[in-house]
Every structure is written in structure tokens, then in C-alpha cells.
Amino acid sequence: MSDIKKFLYVNRRAPYGTIYALESLEVVLIGAAFDQDVSLLFTDDGVFQIKKDQDTNQGSGFKNFSSTYKALGDYDVNKLYVEKESLEERGLTVDDLMELTYEDEDDDWAEKSSIRLVSRAEVKALMEEQDVILSF
Amino acid sequence: MLHIVNKSPFEKNSFASCVEHAADGSAFLLIEDGVYAAIKGSSVADALGKAMAMGKVYALKSDVASRGIQAKLADGIEQVDYAGFVDLVTTNDRVQSWL
């Protein structure tokens, strides 16, 4: 079991203006096959990635990949940390985010939220406890 | 003058610089990640208020919808489609893009 490492994916970019958010999501899904201890952090403009109500059918030509975040729970990626200060700076609250859940196998498969609201100080500690940090 | 901003105001200072350099009577069009500047009650609300005091602030509807911030826009922001974008470019004497 000692070969399991703690991976943190740091998401700091908004979803459509650049390719970072989509690329991060692809890497997370691929990485999920390796049975590591995975966490995602949404900070700075990264919090916009999981904003609810994304609608790309109004002429933007973008592919709406926001629903893919809902599949993360099925890949045992269920620690989605969201920085509170980043939400506040952007006029958002946790209620503005999509409902992202997982089924807890240790609790009779009860459906639980994957979103963990954390302060900037807690993010600092979260980063310090990782073995590997991947930034997007 | 029409000022077009396409960068997130939380990542770059394009919008802030635009507002600081714009003259009274300017129009502002937010597109791409620039639409995030139109969110109500954010940390750039002061700059947004300043822009709205100088002239009309528009946001490209498809970019607003893609990002899911339709219900978060500040009062007074007018959403335009691509045809409206063209109208703004043709009715203003000049255009300046803040990249």
C-alpha cells in the first residue's frame, strides 16, 4: 500500500477561455485508473470550472464539458476542494456550484457531496501534505 | 469609443486598465473570459461601477451562457448576440481591444 501517493490537481483557470480546464479534467480521468489518492483543488478562476448552469448552446460553439465533473465520483475522485476566498472574490457562493457527489462504499453507498469548502489557510496545509502536485 | 475586453478581470488587469483609460461616454463590450467582470458583487465591482457610470456595458450572450453566469450579472448589463456585437462595432466611431 506504500506505493499509493497523494496527488493534488490544482485548477486555477476558467473553463472556456483557455484549454487548461479541459486538459486537467482529461488527465484526472486518465490518472484515476492508477488507484492513487487523488484530490482536486479549485482556486482562483478555477472555481468557474464547476459553476452550475453552463449552457454552450447559445451560439458559442464550445463543447460543454461541465457534466463530466459529475462522473468523477464514479472514478473514486471524491475530494474536490474549493477555496472559499476565491468564490467570494468572484461574487459566488457554494450554492452557485454544480452538485457533485459520490457514493460512499464505507457507508452503505450513501450519496455524499464531493465538494469540500476550504479556506486559503487550509489550502496551504493541503498542498504541504501532497506527494505530487499537478498544476493547470 | 467601444472598448472590448476578453480577459478575466481576476487573472489580468485588462479590464481595470481599460476602465482607468476610458473617456466619459465610452461603451464597453465584455467577451470570452472578459464576461466574468460583469458578475454582481465581485472584487472588481468598483471598476465595473466606474465603467457603468461612464457608459453602457455590454456582455456577449453566448459567452455569458457558456460560463453559467446568466443569473449572476450586475443590474444594467445588457447582453448582446453576435449581430449586436457587429452593431456596436459599426455604430461606435472607433474600437479598442484590451488584450
Side-chain angles (χ1 to χ4, degrees), chain A residues 23-98:
Chain A
E23 289 292 323
S24 174
L25 190 54
E26 300 266 358
V27 174
V28 169
L29 289 169
I30 294 164
F34 292 93
D35 291 327
Q36 300 293 317
D37 182 358
V38 174
S39 298
L40 269 60
L41 168 65
F42 297 91
T43 185
D44 298 330
D45 275 356
V47 298
F48 287 130
Q49 294 179 22
I50 51 175
K51 174 74 182 71
K52 67 181 180 188
D53 299 331
Q54 292 179 39
D55 174 11
T56 58
N57 292 322
Q58 303 295 323
S60 70
F62 292 122
K63 176 189 169 197
N64 186 349
F65 58 93
S66 66
S67 56
T68 310
Y69 293 96
K70 294 181 181 172
L72 291 173
D74 297 332
Y75 291 88
D76 289 331
V77 177
N78 50 39
K79 289 182 284 190
L80 310 184
Y81 294 92
V82 180
E83 192 183 84
K84 191 166 170 280
E85 288 88 340
S86 294
L87 286 175
E88 287 169 355
E89 286 161 10
R90 288 158 184 78
L92 304 178
T93 70
V94 72
D95 294 334
D96 290 307
L97 305 179
M98 292 187 288

